[in-house]
Amino acid sequence: MSLLLRGGRVLDPAGSVDRTADLLVEDGRIARVEPGLDAPAGCRVIEVAGRIVAPGLIDPHVHLREPGQEHKEDLETGTRAAAAGGFTTVCCMPNTKPVNDCRAVTESIVRRAREVGAARVCPIGAITKGSAGEVLADFDEMRAAGAVAFSDDGRCVMNAAVMRRALERARALGLPVSQHCQDEHLARQAVAHESAVAARAGLVGEPAAAESVIVARDLELVELTGARYHVAHVSAAASVRLVRDAKRRGLPVTAEVTPHHLTLTDEAIASGDTSTRVNPPLRGADDRDALWEGLADGTLDCIATDHAPHSPAEKEGGLGAAAPGLVGLETALALGLRLVAAGVLPLARLIAAMTVAPAGAFGLPGGTLAPGAPADVVVIDPDRLWTVTPAALHSKSKNTPFAGWELRGKAVLTLCGGTLTHEEA
Ligand code: DOR
């Protein structure tokens, strides 16, 4: 099958491309990107003038809940949500039931995703068995089965000696370790960021230092081991400073930030909406401003949704009782475009943070429109106005704090390996 996307604004930060051109897909690959291409016989032509043609988006941090918690999400619904959001590759965290800490679970995720997935699924294996923080999981086996990185996400590896060994093992394999940086003692029983907002709501808060003390410790271990290290969902200004400094010193560190930490502050929890309970918590405006700066200057390499579906029952009982997390795959792009419209960062930087940057940090396929690359492509209508309607989300779970928000910009067509995974008029 061949497909010609005609007359769009081709934006491919990997190749420093930003121009009006046609993009021809043949046999699942990008064949040519040039103005004025003729459509080969039998080729479907789609007019995309006024739209942005970019590499398919890549999310280095999602929770797809399969195996074991399919009442929240599964590989089919999670990847459909991904495709609808413009994503062609997602990295799924190992806090499934059972935890993805061995070859059999990694293999089953890869196999199921191939059968039912609407996006490429790259599993992240657990750092420790059961993500219990004590005994290292078998990295070699998980890598052989398709793991692209290791993380105990949802929990922090608190034991520095265990973290050191994990970094050494990952370094031997050339894969990154993604840390959920949160000192469990500083964060004990916390529901929110430690601030006046939390105090007024009667909620236990954790200081931003709960995150940054672990970032600081781990960067020492990166210096010791030389391993590739990735900071998951950065939320604190101090963490941004530490990562910026580490990069200046040449350490192999990358970092991600979520659309919700870029968009909301702790003020949002005052609504009592349990979708605003998330881990790490929404922080103050100073932290949010530092995230903006860090994303714009490249200190924070990637945008990651931390898509964390939960059922209504798990989000009941008020902020203190609700499970932390929110669904993010279908709102990420529009929230990013909102930051571009507000002048926080240029469009090309946003697209880079959602394509070539995560591809580079995790060694993933895609992230480029170079001829010969797999045809992982998103077409974005930058002017499309739409209202976030939980019932209309493809995800099985509807826990979004953005319900009712009117957003501008939407993925209107997604191609994964040349196959249409999402199309709307
Ligand atoms: O809010 C969160 N939810 N943060 C995490 O780190 C884990 C995630 C989940 O699995 O629900």
Side-chain angles (χ1 to χ4, degrees), residues 63 65 95 153-154 180 233 278-279 306 308 310 324-325:
H63 299 271
R65 306 302 192 204
N95 62 340
D153 183 62
H180 175 113
H233 43 50
V278 65
N279 203 12
D306 194 4
H310 291 293

Side-chain angles (χ1 to χ4, degrees), residues 35 75 140 158 183 250 293 304 308 319 326 351 366 375 386 401 405 413 423:
L75 287 161
D140 302 66
M158 283 300 296
D183 184 285
E293 210 181 303
L319 285 162
L326 54 91
I351 299 298
W386 61 287
W405 282 40
L413 186 144
E423 186 175 13

Side-chain angles (χ1 to χ4, degrees), residues 17-29:
V17 175
D18 185 358
R19 62 171 181 161
T20 301
D22 303 340
L23 183 145
L24 179 65
V25 172
E26 278 181 327
D27 302 323
R29 297 197 168 264

Side-chain angles (χ1 to χ4, degrees), residues 61 153 178-181 208 211-212 215 229-244 253-262 279-283 287-288 290-292 294-295 299-304 306:
H61 187 149
D153 183 62
S178 170
Q179 170 79 298
H180 175 113
C181 296
E211 177 177 286
S212 54
V215 177
Y229 174 72
H230 181 80
V231 188
H233 43 50
V234 173
S235 67
S239 307
V240 178
R241 283 197 297 277
L242 287 162
V243 171
R244 186 178 286 124
V253 53
T254 53
E256 66 185 37
V257 59
T258 73
H260 46 278
H261 288 104
L262 290 163
N279 203 12
L282 300 170
R283 301 215 185 262
D287 290 303
R288 193 265 330 267
L291 299 178
W292 284 359
L295 179 62
T299 299
L300 305 175
D301 307 76
C302 325
I303 290 182
D306 194 4

